[in-house]
Amino acid sequence: MNYWIGNESVYGLERAIKASGNPMRTKLETSPITEKDVLRARRLAATRGGEGHDNFLKGITVQLDVIAPLYWWKEAQRYHWFDFVSSQSTMHCLLKFDVASQCVDETDPLIVNRVKELIDYYNAIPEEDREGRQKAWRVIVASLPSGFCLGATMVTNYQQLKTMYFQRKDHKLREWHVFCDWAKTLPMFKELIGIED
């Protein structure tokens, strides 16, 4: 199983670029964006996070699918505007997953085999032994390796992605490098936040 990001959809790009000029307007404009709008948006989006000048980036919504190991999800969950739409469930599918193919390559094979043994043990417990099955299931879920991958559909925005990009582009985990490289492929993302390759 490899880390994967895709199925992205971007909404509100032009509307947010136009809205970047609202602080200096006495009436809201609905006309198509102009080069002046784009230049202003680029200037404002390139400001440091937290100053408020880049707030219009919140209006550019991104939906995406991510498949990632548990160790990555622990770090990704710290971002307030990186929200789960829906995710795969260990509660419902833990016993259905092929554990070996669900883990990153670096997961220790001894741990993967141990989880498989725990699943086999669970499956051998008679259905009527509900307490025994519940205890065995809890051992399985508590023993999942950090390299176990789950997928989720997420929603975020360009302002949050800007924060994530600058905080994670040089991170130790290669999954963050893949994430940052993916963000750079989004429409006008590099231009708006001032990334030059």
Side-chain angles (χ1 to χ4, degrees):
M1 172 71 51
N2 289 316
Y3 177 72
W4 178 82
I5 306 169
N7 296 333
E8 65 275 345
S9 297
V10 177
Y11 306 95
L13 179 64
E14 290 189 10
R15 179 87 184 263
I17 288 172
K18 182 59 84 173
S20 70
N22 285 350
M24 304 304 284
R25 293 189 178 114
T26 57
K27 293 181 182 177
L28 296 184
E29 289 185 16
T30 58
S31 58
I33 62 169
T34 65
E35 184 62 30
K36 181 180 175 183
D37 294 319
V38 172
L39 290 172
R40 178 190 54 252
R42 288 177 68 178
R43 187 177 67 253
L44 294 171
T47 60
R48 289 185 306 154
E51 291 183 349
H53 301 299
D54 63 354
N55 277 350
F56 77 93
L57 291 172
K58 284 189 234 175
I60 308 170
T61 303
V62 182
Q63 291 180 344
L64 64 144
D65 289 340
V66 180
I67 298 173
L70 297 177
Y71 59 78
W72 185 87
W73 283 116
K74 286 189 302 187
E75 293 186 5
Q77 289 173 349
R78 73 183 309 140
Y79 292 102
H80 183 69
W81 298 110
F82 190 54
D83 293 328
F84 285 88
V85 173
S86 187
S87 65
Q88 290 180 306
S89 170
T90 52
M91 178 68 69
H92 297 296
C93 296
L94 178 57
L95 302 172
K96 299 175 187 174
F97 285 120
D98 174 10
V99 176
S101 66
Q102 205 69 25
C103 291
V104 295
D105 295 341
E106 296 85 359
T107 307
D108 189 320
L110 293 173
I111 296 169
V112 172
N113 288 333
R114 180 62 184 145
V115 173
K116 288 180 186 177
E117 290 170 1
L118 293 170
I119 291 171
D120 290 342
Y121 174 76
Y122 172 91
N123 288 329
I125 298 172
E127 293 271 343
E128 52 276 1
D129 184 0
R130 295 177 111 181
E131 187 178 333
R133 288 174 71 86
Q134 184 177 21
K135 286 180 181 177
W137 186 88
R138 286 187 57 83
V139 171
I140 297 167
V141 80
S143 300
L144 278 177
S146 253
F148 188 82
C149 293
L150 288 174
T153 299
M154 306 298 292
V155 65
T156 189
N157 61 62
Y158 272 34
Q159 188 178 44
Q160 184 66 88
L161 288 172
K162 173 185 171 180
T163 299
M164 295 168 87
Y165 178 84
F166 285 115
Q167 288 181 354
R168 302 293 178 159
K169 66 184 177 66
D170 298 318
H171 197 275
K172 212 179 224 184
L173 293 178
R174 72 174 176 198
E175 288 85 357
W176 281 115
H177 295 266
V178 172
F179 186 87
C180 291
D181 288 344
W182 164 82
K184 292 192 299 187
T185 69
L186 295 172
M188 292 188 68
F189 184 76
K190 289 191 305 186
E191 295 86 351
L192 283 173
I193 69 167
I195 300 172
E196 294 181 20
D197 287 327

